[in-house]
Amino acid sequence: MKNVLIAVCLLAASTIQVQAKIERPKLVVGLVVDQMRWDYLYYYYDKFQEGGLKRLVDQGYSYENTMIDYIPTITAVGHTSIYTGTCPAFHGITGNNFHVDGKNVYCCTDTNVQGVGSKSKEAQMSPHRLKSTGIGDMLKMATDQKAKVIGVALKDRAAILPAGFSADGAYWWDTSAGHFVTSTYYCQELPEWVKKINKKIGTKPGFDVKSSNMGVTKTFEMAEAAIENEQMGQDDITDLLAVSVSSTDVIGHAYGTRGNENEGVYMELDKQLAHFFEILDSKVGKGNYLLFLTADHGAEHNHNVLKSHKIPAGGLQTKTFIKEVNKTIGEQLGTSEQIISDEIAGSVYLNHSAIEKTGKTVDEVKAMVIAEFNKNPNILFTVDYNKILTSPIPQLIRERAINGYMPSRSGDLLYIAREGWENVSNKPDYTGTTHGMWNPSDSHIPFILYGWHVNHGESSEPTKNVDIAPTICEMLHIQMPNSCVGNAKLSHK
């Protein structure tokens, strides 16, 4: 009798274990809209159709106070930080470009791999300069590599960096080829379904699809093809599809945050997202997928538009300004060599070998450069990264600067411009804009969860873009990425 009772207890325990199986969605979709300001959700709201962005606002859970907590607010940095849950100080992607061993390098260029689908340099890309794992890597580990992880974007960095190290594939647009490509980091030959979709949506080589609304359409067509052909979300193993829309950024840079061009690309985004939801509903099933929408950064309004409304603004024209500083410093030091060797998104690189020849110390020359920068009325602060903890600057700036700094890749100095003075042309007929600064225009981004186990609502709780990865990982009950500094935000439940 005692043995029977033991057997019954063991059977009951095993039944409870089966019933207590961890629930996860069939598919996670990360949608990053390049250069999407948070307020676009409401500025264009009345023009959105019911099934697209309005569906997210009306049915999803919005973290209304999501900010980027590092400088600079740049594409490669934003995409990486969203998926790794950490800042450039740890993940190492300090810009689209940065210095390695004294040389300016692009974040994804990898000459040790070959292009697949193209022989051009646009296809020689990989995540080899990334230093931290991401959501996809953690999902792979949690499922013993059974989960499928794929990145899709027109920009290589927007497909590669979100997908992470262990991705099954990352596909980006090669303008010289006129279609989607990948590299030998992922595979030796394009899958047949990629060849097929390329035949359908490819363009004439050399045509810049990124600068047209057509780029939005092609991005979603590729994403939908990945779901269909890779059978994503079709079994009990959670898959991850990382999608980034690049045309919004390219068009924003050219035409600014207002006008027909910007409105047009967001209406196309809305239209394509509505169709994408239909695909997800039919292929994966309502309630079976989790989607999050966010942005890698925002953008400042065009300075000529701001000035027309009596708001102080202008173009910093950093390249011209630095040329003048180099001339002045060179005269003071008696050298014809360029003391400032490079500037990337506010990070200033000094020519240490040229400085050594002058007989001055690096610290002495830093002080000279800082003094010249600070003479510019449109620059608020210029600081030495090595002395930033003791520099008389606001704590918020200090924290974001430190979060964005990696000694082996960042510059020697950092300058902070006035709000409204981005690094663009100061001409009165300039129509575009850019981003990269700490201000809300550049750092306040949308973050909306939708679908699986998400209730409608919103929160004004302070949230950071590095909180997105741990939030998704917490919902999936998987470990957060290995350098994660963010915190899970689960008030949507």
Side-chain angles (χ1 to χ4, degrees):
M1 185 66 180
K2 182 178 180 181
N3 290 337
V4 173
L5 288 174
I6 292 174
V8 170
C9 290
L10 290 174
L11 179 61
S14 64
T15 302
I16 291 172
Q17 288 178 349
V18 171
Q19 291 176 343
K21 180 181 178 181
I22 300 301
E23 287 189 76
R24 293 189 178 117
K26 291 180 176 294
L27 175 67
V28 176
V29 177
L31 178 58
V32 179
V33 182
D34 205 320
Q35 202 184 120
M36 184 176 184
R37 291 168 54 107
W38 162 81
D39 58 356
Y40 285 166
L41 290 172
Y42 306 103
Y43 181 74
Y44 291 125
Y45 179 83
D46 291 340
K47 297 180 180 180
F48 293 149
Q49 57 182 278
E50 295 300 323
L53 287 163
K54 188 174 287 188
R55 178 173 175 176
L56 283 180
V57 174
D58 291 350
Q59 299 179 34
Y61 193 95
S62 179
Y63 294 88
E64 297 285 276
N65 192 18
T66 301
M67 307 293 289
I68 295 172
D69 72 335
Y70 52 76
I71 303 170
T73 47
I74 297 293
T75 296
V77 191
H79 282 82
T80 307
S81 299
I82 289 165
Y83 281 87
T84 62
T86 196
C87 51
F90 292 106
H91 63 59
I93 306 300
T94 59
N96 295 338
N97 287 72
F98 42 80
H99 282 209
V100 173
D101 298 328
K103 295 181 179 179
N104 186 322
V105 300
Y106 177 64
C107 59
C108 291
T109 297
D110 187 353
T111 56
N112 292 317
V113 301
Q114 299 300 313
V116 176
S118 170
K119 295 182 179 179
S120 79
K121 292 182 179 180
E122 290 184 66
Q124 283 187 282
M125 303 287 170
S126 83
H128 75 114
R129 290 196 169 100
L130 178 63
K131 292 182 177 293
S132 302
T133 58
I135 299 172
D137 299 309
M138 296 297 96
L139 184 59
K140 281 282 192 178
M141 292 301 296
T143 61
D144 294 325
Q145 308 301 311
K146 295 176 183 177
K148 286 188 177 180
V149 176
I150 293 176
V152 171
L154 297 184
K155 292 182 180 180
D156 53 79
R157 56 187 180 271
I160 293 169
L161 299 172
F165 297 109
S166 304
D168 297 276
Y171 302 99
W172 57 94
W173 190 270
D174 184 333
T175 300
S176 67
H179 59 232
F180 281 98
V181 299
T182 189
S183 76
T184 52
Y185 179 89
Y186 302 98
C187 60
Q188 298 301 309
E189 184 178 356
L190 284 179
E192 288 301 317
W193 68 266
V194 177
K195 295 178 182 178
K196 184 177 179 181
I197 192 68
N198 276 340
K199 288 182 179 179
K200 178 182 177 182
I201 68 175
T203 65
K204 181 180 179 180
F207 175 72
D208 184 13
V209 71
K210 296 184 183 75
S211 63
S212 72
N213 294 351
M214 188 190 307
V216 180
T217 308
K218 294 184 185 300
T219 300
F220 278 100
E221 287 179 318
M222 183 62 174
E224 291 163 7
I227 292 173
E228 172 72 24
N229 292 279
E230 294 289 349
Q231 296 293 294
M232 302 187 79
Q234 298 303 303
D235 56 29
D236 293 332
I237 306 297
T238 303
D239 300 320
L240 171 65
L241 177 62
V243 183
S244 179
V245 177
S246 306
S247 294
T248 45
D249 179 73
V250 178
I251 290 172
H253 276 293
Y255 299 102
T257 63
R258 294 291 184 265
N260 294 332
E261 293 82 5
N262 196 68
E263 179 178 321
V265 73
Y266 276 92
M267 293 306 103
E268 184 64 23
L269 168 64
D270 184 47
K271 174 184 175 183
Q272 294 302 322
L273 181 57
H275 183 262
F276 188 56
F277 274 132
E278 292 178 359
I279 297 296
L280 291 172
D281 290 343
S282 62
K283 298 292 183 181
V284 185
K286 287 185 178 181
N288 290 331
Y289 61 88
L290 171 66
L291 182 144
F292 68 87
L293 176 142
T294 189
D296 52 347
H297 53 74
E300 179 57 276
H301 295 303
N302 173 268
H303 64 75
N304 288 314
V305 172
L306 291 173
K307 284 185 286 189
S308 71
H309 297 290
K310 301 181 180 180
I311 298 174
L316 200 59
Q317 300 186 140
T318 307
K319 185 176 181 180
T320 300
F321 170 66
I322 286 179
K323 185 177 180 180
E324 296 170 352
V325 173
N326 260 328
K327 181 181 178 181
T328 300
I329 297 295
E331 291 173 349
Q332 293 174 0
L333 296 175
T335 180
S336 59
E337 292 192 66
Q338 302 294 300
I339 294 300
I340 299 174
S341 62
D342 204 355
E343 182 275 334
I344 302 174
S347 189
V348 180
Y349 296 81
L350 300 184
N351 186 338
H352 287 239
S353 62
I355 292 172
E356 185 177 357
K357 295 175 186 176
T358 68
K360 295 286 187 179
T361 66
V362 172
D363 282 347
E364 288 174 326
V365 175
K366 282 181 178 179
M368 295 170 67
V369 174
I370 288 173
E372 289 301 315
F373 265 71
N374 287 344
K375 288 178 183 178
N376 188 323
N378 299 317
I379 291 180
L380 295 178
F381 315 103
T382 309
V383 295
D384 180 346
Y385 272 118
N386 290 337
K387 299 178 180 178
I388 200 165
L389 288 176
T390 57
S391 298
I393 59 176
Q395 177 61 29
L396 182 144
I397 300 295
R398 180 181 292 110
E399 181 177 342
R400 293 188 183 185
I402 291 172
N403 287 344
Y405 175 66
M406 176 171 277
S408 61
R409 296 186 173 185
S410 301
D412 298 276
L413 309 174
L414 173 72
Y415 74 83
I416 303 295
R418 291 174 61 188
E419 167 65 3
W421 265 263
E422 299 269 4
N423 181 16
V424 296
S425 168
N426 198 39
K427 294 181 178 180
D429 60 349
Y430 176 71
T431 60
T433 190
T434 192
H435 50 86
M437 302 209 297
W438 69 272
N439 309 82
S441 58
D442 295 8
S443 64
H444 190 187
I445 56 173
F447 172 31
I448 302 180
L449 290 170
Y450 173 84
W452 183 83
H453 287 196
V454 176
N455 295 321
H456 174 55
E458 64 179 47
S459 171
S460 59
E461 175 187 3
T463 303
K464 301 175 181 179
N465 68 336
V466 295
D467 294 333
I468 296 174
T471 296
I472 301 302
C473 290
E474 180 76 10
M475 294 180 73
L476 300 182
H477 295 286
I478 63 175
Q479 183 60 277
M480 62 185 67
N482 62 11
S483 296
C484 186
V485 297
N487 296 295
K489 302 289 183 177
L490 297 181
S491 54
H492 60 273
K493 284 191 173 182

